[in-house]
Amino acid sequence: MTNLHHLAGETVKNALGRGLTVATAESLTAGMVSAILADTAGASGMLQGGVVAYQNSVKVNVLGVSPELLASAGSVDADVAAAMAAGVRTALGSDIGVATTGVAGPDEHDGKAVGTVYIGIATADGTESFDYGFSGNRAEIRGQACGAALERLLAALSS
C-alpha cells in the first residue's frame, strides 16, 4: 500500500465517520486526488465528485473563480486555490472542497517556479490555502501535490 493510499484510506474513514462529503477541484493533479480517494472502499459514501480544471476557462465557468483574480495573480496562486475549493464545494454540494493548483514542469508558469503548489480547502467555516515547494520530475511533483492535498483534507476532517 502506498503512502497515498494510506492517506486516502484515513481520509475516507474519517469523512464517513463524521458524515461529511468531499469534492475535488484539480488543476496540476488532473484528477489524481479523486482517483486515489475512489481507490478506497467506501469512497462512494463521501466523495461527491471532482472537476479537473486544467484550463482557466474551466476555473472561471465551472468553479466560479474570478477572471480578474486569474488575470492579476495567474492560475498558480494561493487565492486561486482557495477560490477553486470554495467553487467546487458549492458546485457539487459537498461539505468540504479541496483544490490543487501549481507548476509540475518542465517549465515555470506565470512566473512561478517548477514545484510551486497551492492547496485550497473550503468548509462551512471558510476557505484557506497552503503553499508548498516540491522538487523532482513532473510525475513526482504531481504525486507530492496529491499527497499534500490528502494531508490537508485529512486535517480539515479532523478539526
Side-chain angles (χ1 to χ4, degrees):
M1 174 184 284
T2 68
N3 184 48
L4 291 178
H5 283 97
H6 174 75
L7 282 169
E10 289 300 305
T11 301
V12 169
K13 184 174 85 176
N14 209 310
L16 291 172
R18 295 195 54 202
L20 297 173
T21 57
V22 170
T24 64
E26 301 182 64
S27 189
L28 89 152
T29 51
M32 288 175 68
V33 176
S34 58
I36 203 97
L37 286 169
D39 277 348
T40 305
S44 61
M46 53 73 73
L47 183 61
Q48 287 290 91
V51 173
V52 174
Y54 222 65
Q55 299 300 323
N56 283 350
S57 58
V58 178
K59 291 174 181 78
V60 172
N61 297 324
V62 178
L63 299 176
V65 177
S66 157
E68 294 78 18
L69 174 61
L70 286 165
S72 65
S75 59
V76 181
D77 179 77
D79 292 336
V80 170
M84 288 171 63
V88 81
R89 180 178 178 267
T90 300
L92 302 187
S94 66
D95 296 305
I96 300 177
V98 60
T100 63
T101 187
V103 186
D107 302 313
E108 68 172 28
H109 181 76
D110 288 341
K112 302 283 174 47
V114 172
T116 302
V117 171
Y118 297 94
I119 306 297
I121 296 285
T123 67
D125 295 329
T127 61
E128 54 187 330
S129 58
F130 306 89
D131 62 311
Y132 296 86
F134 295 127
S135 59
N137 64 32
R138 187 173 171 83
E140 290 165 342
I141 290 168
R142 292 177 73 232
Q144 290 169 79
C146 184
L150 290 169
E151 287 169 353
R152 291 298 179 181
L153 187 53
L154 187 56
L157 285 163
S158 301
S159 65

